[in-house]
């Protein structure tokens, strides 16, 4: 970027060296290359660069240090870069990376991070990578793999953070979905507990339900539920939860309201259901104490599902839908 002004008229820096490195990484990424190519018709000039949206990261922001550290190792490989290496915390060029395989891995990780900075989904990133036909497929596969690894760590970090914060108006924990831990047997009523919670989130502001986590935040995993399934693994649980429970109860047309994923934390699997607010009132069929099935309306109240009377439900629906 020879024409990029990085010093003021009095010789002072407009942006720090670490920020210059960050900008260099972003503008040399697959994502930025793809965005610029959508605008270029004949020749590339700096007007296209100026129009390119660039994440405004500063020291202390998420991914800032990770990007600068990796890029500095790629850049600072000879003595003339010692001043830069010292300024960004690398030390000297001796900490730089010259091994071709390690350099390729660092470049892939940088492209994966940048894709996350722009909030791309995996499908969107795959599409962008597919528009580089002359780039070796191995390089593109490595970038996608780096993106996927980061995505998994983000999800695990998100679940861990939710558990640490505890239950609230937008988060609820459930130990199981099918297995009664007290009686040590399969129990259909456990499924109804899940439906109550999901219906309450649907009728309120949405939220997250974690299955495999006790009320106190202790992770017990999904193994108790797995033993009740024909396919006793995460795939079988996902099929049960999506097709046999949620979509069967609330309707297949509302599948887009549920984002279900299973992640492993400390060797135990946890199911995370992200629930969007429903566009219309959602009812759950619940069996009462007399064994009669009732169509019930629930909302989220504090950290639990609250059943409304018919009159209360009518008033709530008038003001919320």
């Amino acid at each position: 970027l020879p024409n990029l002004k990085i010093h003021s008229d009095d010789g002072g820096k407009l942006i720090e060296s670490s920020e210059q490195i960050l900008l260099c990484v972003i503008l040399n990424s697959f994502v930025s290359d793809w965005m610029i190519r959508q605008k270029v018709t004949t020749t590339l000039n700096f007007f296209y660069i100026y129009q390119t949206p660039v994440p405004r990261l500063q020291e202390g922001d998420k991914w800032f240090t990770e990007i600068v550290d990796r890029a500095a190792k790629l850049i600072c490989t000879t003595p003339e870069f010692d001043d830069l290496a010292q300024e960004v915390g690398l030390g000297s060029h001796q900490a730089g990376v010259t091994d071709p395989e390690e350099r390729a891995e660092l470049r892939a990780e940088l492209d994966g991070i940048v894709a996350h900075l722009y909030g791309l989904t995996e499908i969107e990133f795959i599409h962008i990578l597919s528009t580089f036909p002359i780039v070796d497929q191995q390089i593109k596969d490595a970038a996608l793999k780096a993106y996927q690894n980061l995505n998994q760590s983000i999800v695990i970090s998100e679940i861990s953070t939710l558990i640490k914060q505890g239950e609230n108006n937008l988060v609820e924990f459930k130990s199981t979905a099918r297995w009664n831990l007290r009686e040590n047997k399969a129990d259909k009523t456990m499924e109804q507990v899940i439906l109550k919670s999901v219906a309450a989130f649907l009728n309120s502001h949405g939220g997250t339900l974690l299955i495999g986590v006790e009320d106190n935040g202790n992770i017990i995993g999904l193994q108790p539920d797995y033993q009740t399934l024909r396919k006793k693994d995460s795939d079988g649980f996902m099929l049960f939860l999506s097709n046999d429970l949620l979509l069967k109860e609330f309707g297949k047309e509302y599948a887009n309201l549920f984002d279900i994923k299973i992640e492993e934390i400390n060797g135990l699997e946890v199911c995370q259901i992200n629930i969007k607010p429903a566009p219309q009132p959602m009812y759950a069929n619940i069996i009462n104490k007399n064994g009669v099935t009732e169509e019930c309306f629930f909302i989220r109240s504090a950290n639990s599902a609250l059943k409304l009377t018919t009159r209360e439900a009518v008033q709530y629906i008038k003001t919320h839908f």
Side-chain angles (χ1 to χ4, degrees):
L1 300 175
N3 297 324
L4 182 64
K5 187 175 182 182
I6 60 175
H7 292 89
S8 59
D9 295 335
D10 60 3
K13 285 187 177 181
L14 292 177
I15 59 175
E16 297 297 326
S17 295
S18 57
E19 294 170 337
Q20 295 176 41
I21 289 177
L22 174 77
L23 183 60
C24 181
V25 168
I26 293 174
L27 292 178
N28 279 285
S29 68
F30 281 120
V31 177
S32 288
D33 190 314
W34 177 83
M35 285 192 292
I36 293 172
R37 283 191 288 115
Q38 307 312 299
K39 301 176 182 179
V40 174
T41 53
T42 53
T43 58
L44 175 64
N45 60 57
F46 257 82
F47 288 108
Y48 295 118
I49 303 294
Y50 296 145
Q51 294 170 7
T52 302
V54 175
R56 298 299 198 261
L57 294 187
Q58 296 179 333
E59 189 170 357
D61 290 339
K62 184 177 182 181
W63 300 124
F64 184 92
T65 300
E66 288 84 350
I67 291 175
V68 173
D69 286 350
R70 286 169 171 78
K73 290 176 181 177
L74 290 171
I75 296 170
C76 304
T77 57
T78 53
E80 56 263 36
F81 288 101
D82 279 348
D83 289 342
L84 176 62
Q86 187 171 9
E87 187 174 343
V88 299
L90 189 63
S92 73
H93 74 281
Q94 293 180 344
V97 173
T98 57
D99 179 77
E101 291 186 4
E102 291 183 36
R103 289 179 64 83
E105 184 177 350
L106 288 172
R107 287 195 295 267
E109 289 174 352
L110 286 170
D111 273 305
I113 292 173
V114 172
H116 277 288
L117 280 181
Y118 281 97
L120 299 180
T121 65
E122 184 172 332
I123 293 176
E124 290 169 337
F125 192 39
I126 289 173
H127 168 71
I128 287 175
L129 292 173
S130 71
T131 64
F132 291 83
I134 64 174
V135 175
D136 189 273
Q137 187 61 43
Q138 187 175 356
I139 295 175
K140 294 187 285 187
D141 290 343
L144 178 60
K145 183 64 176 178
Y147 170 92
Q148 292 169 332
N149 290 340
L150 286 168
N151 194 47
Q152 184 177 22
S153 67
I154 289 170
V155 171
I156 292 175
S157 175
E158 178 188 354
I159 293 177
S160 299
T161 300
L162 290 173
I163 292 174
K164 288 179 181 179
Q165 292 174 346
E167 293 182 306
N168 54 55
N169 192 42
L170 295 174
V171 179
E172 185 168 355
F173 306 155
K174 291 299 177 187
S175 300
T176 64
R178 291 175 62 98
W179 187 261
N180 189 318
L181 294 173
R182 290 182 181 179
E183 300 182 11
N184 198 32
K185 66 177 185 179
D187 189 346
K188 197 76 173 176
T189 61
M190 307 308 297
E191 298 179 17
Q192 304 226 324
V193 174
I194 299 296
L195 291 177
K196 289 179 184 179
S197 298
V198 172
F201 281 127
L202 289 169
N203 290 322
S204 302
H205 302 290
T208 299
L209 180 63
L210 298 181
I211 303 175
V213 182
E214 295 180 310
D215 291 343
N216 61 4
N218 180 50
I219 299 174
I220 66 171
L222 300 174
Q223 198 58 44
D225 282 330
Y226 286 172
Q227 63 186 316
T228 69
L229 304 169
R230 280 180 292 181
K231 189 177 182 183
K232 304 179 186 302
D233 55 19
S234 58
D235 288 339
F237 187 80
M238 291 274 282
L239 288 171
F240 148 73
L241 197 60
S242 178
N243 297 343
D244 299 337
L245 191 63
L246 299 182
L247 299 187
K248 183 178 180 181
E249 182 69 24
F250 301 111
K252 294 179 181 178
E253 66 272 26
Y254 296 110
N256 65 317
L257 299 180
F258 308 110
D259 178 25
I260 306 172
K261 60 192 74 173
I262 294 177
E263 300 296 336
E264 184 176 307
I265 301 178
N266 299 328
L268 296 171
E269 290 178 302
V270 174
C271 178
Q272 178 181 0
I273 311 175
N274 292 321
I275 305 155
K276 297 178 183 178
Q280 65 180 45
M282 305 294 281
Y283 294 84
N285 292 300
I286 304 298
I287 301 174
N288 63 23
K289 296 179 180 179
N290 299 320
V292 178
T293 300
E294 294 181 327
E295 193 175 58
C296 303
F297 187 85
F298 297 92
I299 63 170
R300 193 74 180 158
S301 178
N303 61 347
S304 62
L306 176 65
K307 178 184 175 182
L308 300 187
T309 65
T310 301
R311 178 177 294 182
E312 290 171 337
V314 170
Q315 281 300 119
Y316 181 90
I317 292 169
K318 283 182 179 179
T319 57
H320 287 79
F321 295 98

